[in-house]
């Protein structure tokens, strides 16, 4: 049963604070019968599709989540296509962690070689469809899929205790929602106190890991999955026993990074610089610049998603948050040619009156790179 009142409330929050809400649906197989085996619930597939359609009617973004195991490893292509067809914001591949009921199904976990195949499958799909970031996954191996992350100072690989905490229904706080290691309880301690002072979190942030992870050349950009370490070895600092990469492969990867350093780092730097230049230009001239939607035959529009070809990076991406709201607003205002253009200031005022929030100029800069033509008023 879907609570429509709750969805209406979430929809209003999402309009006011774009990107703040995403509904997560677990769909583990394209075959409804296999889905029933996974979930242990009769007709669960039909109920999920019904719920997804209701969520879409409230214009809420949603993610299709799948846990790859030996039962569905050969169904990845079908699930990827299903996620696109349903209009999901992203397709999440959540690594199997044998906790809870999963302890009784540990034999279903992928072996290291299958995990390696999975990483290359993700990379190939994103490159083939030019949907960078559409497939989300646990972050510790992401660097092998997107080598440019090596130059991202904020990227740490595993985020347990660094960017993440888990809070269970009984108030227990853990380094990650998928780890059962209890740091404390919010009934007895504040989250801030635990976040700032717990010794395990300090060790996770300093990468005081053990085993082969300790000597790994990419431990500060991977670190192994701490949830796997705790689930299999009962030590959150132990090595990741499911790591699919050997020392030779890691050294080869680092050689690739070194040989392509300029290209990989420049891609990020140049793009960010371009966004900043556009942002500054708009802010300086927002009373003069007129904008209108630029027809682009490569863009794809569905009821729930706007997929666009970025003219600079030549990669496809899904508009969300303010970029999507801005596009929809301009489309509804019939800003389809120079005769129907608006100044940025006018767009800013209309956007604020409609959604009650100010425009994020990073978002409008991204939008201009994708969909909007800019011209200076003569």
């Amino acid at each position: 049963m879907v609570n429509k009142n709750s969805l209406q409330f979430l929809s209003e929050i999402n309009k006011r604070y774009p990107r703040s809400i995403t509904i997560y649906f677990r769909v583990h197989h394209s075959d409804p019968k296999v889905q029933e085996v996974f979930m242990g619930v009769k007709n669960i597939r039909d109920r999920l599709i019904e719920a997804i359609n209701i969520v879409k009617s409230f214009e809420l973004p949603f993610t299709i989540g799948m846990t790859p195991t030996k039962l569905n490893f050969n169904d990845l292509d079908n699930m990827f296509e299903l996620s696109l067809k349903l209009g999901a914001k992203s397709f999440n591949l959540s690594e199997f962690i044998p906790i809870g009921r999963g302890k009784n199904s540990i034999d279903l976990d992928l072996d290291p070689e299958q995990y390696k195949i999975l990483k290359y499958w993700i990379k190939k799909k994103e490159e083939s469809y030019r949907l960078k970031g559409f497939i989300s996954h646990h972050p510790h191996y992401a660097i092998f899929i997107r080598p440019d992350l090596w130059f991202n100072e904020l990227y740490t690989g595993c985020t347990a205790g660094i960017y993440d905490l888990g809070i269970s229904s009984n108030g227990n706080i853990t380094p990650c929602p998928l780890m059962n290691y209890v740091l404390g309880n919010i009934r007895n301690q504040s989250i801030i106190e635990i976040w700032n002072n717990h010794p395990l979190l300090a060790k996770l942030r300093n990468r005081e890991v053990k085993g082969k992870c300790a000597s790994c050349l990419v431990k500060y950009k991977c670190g192994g999955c701490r949830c796997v370490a705790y689930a299999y070895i009962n030590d959150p600092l132990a090595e990741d026993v499911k790591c699919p990469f050997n020392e030779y492969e890691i050294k080869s990867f680092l050689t690739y990074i070194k040989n392509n350093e300029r290209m990989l780092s420049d891609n990020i730097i140049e793009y960010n610089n371009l966004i900043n230049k556009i942002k500054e230009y708009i802010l300086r001239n927002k009373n003069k610049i007129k904008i209108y939607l630029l027809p682009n035959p490569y863009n794809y529009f569905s009821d729930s998603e706007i997929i666009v070809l970025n003219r600079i990076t030549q990669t496809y991406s899904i508009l969300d948050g303010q970029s999507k709201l801005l596009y929809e607003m301009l489309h509804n205002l019939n800003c389809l040619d120079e005769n129907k253009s608006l100044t940025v200031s006018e767009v800013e005022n209309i956007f604020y009156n409609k959604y009650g929030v100010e425009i994020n100029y990073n978002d409008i800069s991204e939008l201009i790179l994708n969909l909007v033509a800019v011209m200076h008023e003569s």
Side-chain angles (χ1 to χ4, degrees):
M1 178 66 70
V2 176
N3 188 321
K4 293 186 178 181
N5 288 332
S6 296
L7 291 179
Q8 181 63 49
F9 174 69
L10 292 175
S11 179
E12 294 301 320
I13 291 177
N14 195 57
K15 287 178 180 177
R16 190 169 182 83
Y17 304 103
R19 303 184 189 181
S20 61
I21 303 291
T22 300
I23 309 298
Y24 192 94
F25 291 99
R26 289 196 174 277
V27 184
H28 295 294
H29 204 282
S30 61
D31 185 333
K33 294 298 182 184
V34 181
Q35 176 73 8
E36 288 184 8
V37 174
F38 266 96
M39 306 296 287
V41 180
K42 287 286 186 181
N43 301 318
I44 184 64
R45 174 63 176 278
D46 293 339
R47 292 160 66 179
L48 280 169
I49 298 299
E50 179 186 1
I52 288 171
N53 287 330
I54 293 173
V55 165
K56 288 167 68 173
S57 72
F58 283 89
E59 298 183 348
L60 281 166
F62 66 94
T63 291
I64 297 297
M66 171 187 179
T67 299
T69 67
K70 288 183 171 70
L71 284 177
N72 60 6
F73 187 65
N74 293 326
D75 197 46
L76 286 166
D77 285 334
N78 293 332
M79 283 299 302
F80 176 80
E81 295 292 342
L82 178 64
S83 298
L84 286 175
K85 182 179 178 181
L86 290 173
K89 174 185 177 182
S90 62
F91 177 40
N92 176 256
L93 297 174
S94 182
E95 185 172 345
F96 179 83
I97 308 293
I99 59 174
R101 290 191 304 160
K103 289 181 178 179
N104 301 321
S105 304
I106 198 167
D107 57 315
L108 294 179
D109 197 4
L110 302 179
D111 59 46
E113 190 60 31
Q114 287 175 311
Y115 271 111
K116 188 186 298 182
I117 293 171
L118 177 62
K119 304 309 168 188
Y120 292 125
W121 178 88
I122 295 172
K123 185 177 178 66
K124 183 178 179 180
K125 280 294 180 186
E126 291 200 334
E127 289 175 349
S128 299
Y129 282 75
R130 292 184 175 181
L131 283 175
K132 192 174 184 180
F134 177 73
I135 304 175
S136 58
H137 44 87
H138 289 202
H140 48 289
Y141 300 145
I143 195 168
F144 296 99
I145 299 168
R146 287 189 52 199
D148 58 311
L149 289 172
W150 183 267
F151 302 98
N152 187 328
E153 294 180 0
L154 297 178
Y155 176 74
T156 63
C158 180
T159 56
I162 301 174
Y163 293 132
D164 292 344
L165 282 181
I167 304 178
S168 64
S169 58
N170 63 5
N172 283 341
I173 299 175
T174 62
C176 176
L178 294 176
M179 188 189 296
N180 288 336
Y181 186 99
V182 178
L183 301 168
N185 191 287
I186 55 174
R187 293 187 177 93
N188 307 318
Q189 294 173 278
S190 72
I191 294 178
I192 297 298
E193 181 184 353
I194 293 172
W195 181 260
N196 289 336
N197 301 318
H198 199 285
L200 176 62
L201 297 184
K203 291 179 179 179
L204 290 172
R205 292 162 189 167
N206 292 330
R207 283 288 193 260
E208 296 178 29
V209 290
K210 305 172 184 177
K212 65 179 182 181
C213 287
S215 58
C216 182
L217 297 172
V218 296
K219 75 174 182 179
Y220 292 105
K221 291 295 186 181
C222 171
C225 179
R226 299 299 94 216
C227 297
V228 167
Y230 188 65
Y232 279 88
I233 305 180
N234 202 37
D235 180 356
L237 297 173
E239 67 180 51
D240 182 345
V241 297
K242 297 200 296 186
C243 176
F245 301 104
N246 58 42
E247 185 177 356
Y248 172 78
E249 289 171 316
I250 290 174
K251 286 183 176 179
S252 297
F253 170 75
L254 291 176
T255 299
Y256 170 81
I257 292 286
K258 183 178 180 180
N259 292 340
N260 295 275
E261 178 176 358
R262 184 162 189 173
M263 177 194 73
L264 293 170
S265 60
D266 284 356
N267 285 347
I268 294 176
I269 294 170
E270 288 180 10
Y271 188 76
N272 288 340
N273 286 342
L274 181 60
I275 290 292
N276 287 331
K277 286 179 180 178
I278 293 175
K279 177 182 174 182
E280 292 169 3
Y281 176 73
I282 293 171
L283 287 172
R284 283 198 312 268
N285 301 284
K286 64 181 182 179
N287 292 319
K288 298 179 179 179
I289 296 173
K290 289 188 174 182
I291 62 175
Y292 61 94
L293 289 183
L294 181 69
N296 188 333
Y298 296 103
N299 296 334
Y300 166 74
F301 308 102
S302 69
D303 292 338
S304 58
E305 296 295 351
I306 303 169
I307 301 176
V308 297
L309 176 66
N310 187 302
R311 300 197 300 274
I312 304 299
T313 63
Q314 289 298 299
T315 59
Y316 283 94
S317 58
I318 298 176
L319 288 185
D320 62 3
Q322 286 199 4
S323 291
K324 183 178 180 183
L325 293 177
L326 280 165
Y327 167 79
E328 291 173 341
M329 188 185 81
L330 290 169
H331 188 273
N332 291 335
L333 292 171
N334 292 319
C335 294
L336 300 175
D337 56 49
E338 296 182 25
N339 296 324
K340 298 288 181 68
S341 59
L342 295 168
T343 66
V344 174
S345 290
E346 289 172 330
V347 171
E348 187 178 42
N349 291 333
I350 295 171
F351 188 86
Y352 183 81
N353 291 333
K354 184 174 179 62
Y355 298 110
V357 291
E358 295 181 355
I359 284 179
N360 179 322
Y361 276 91
N362 286 324
D363 275 2
I364 199 172
S365 302
E366 291 270 9
L367 185 69
I368 285 170
L369 284 177
N370 289 318
L371 283 172
V372 177
V374 183
M375 60 179 181
H376 208 281
E377 193 174 59
S378 58

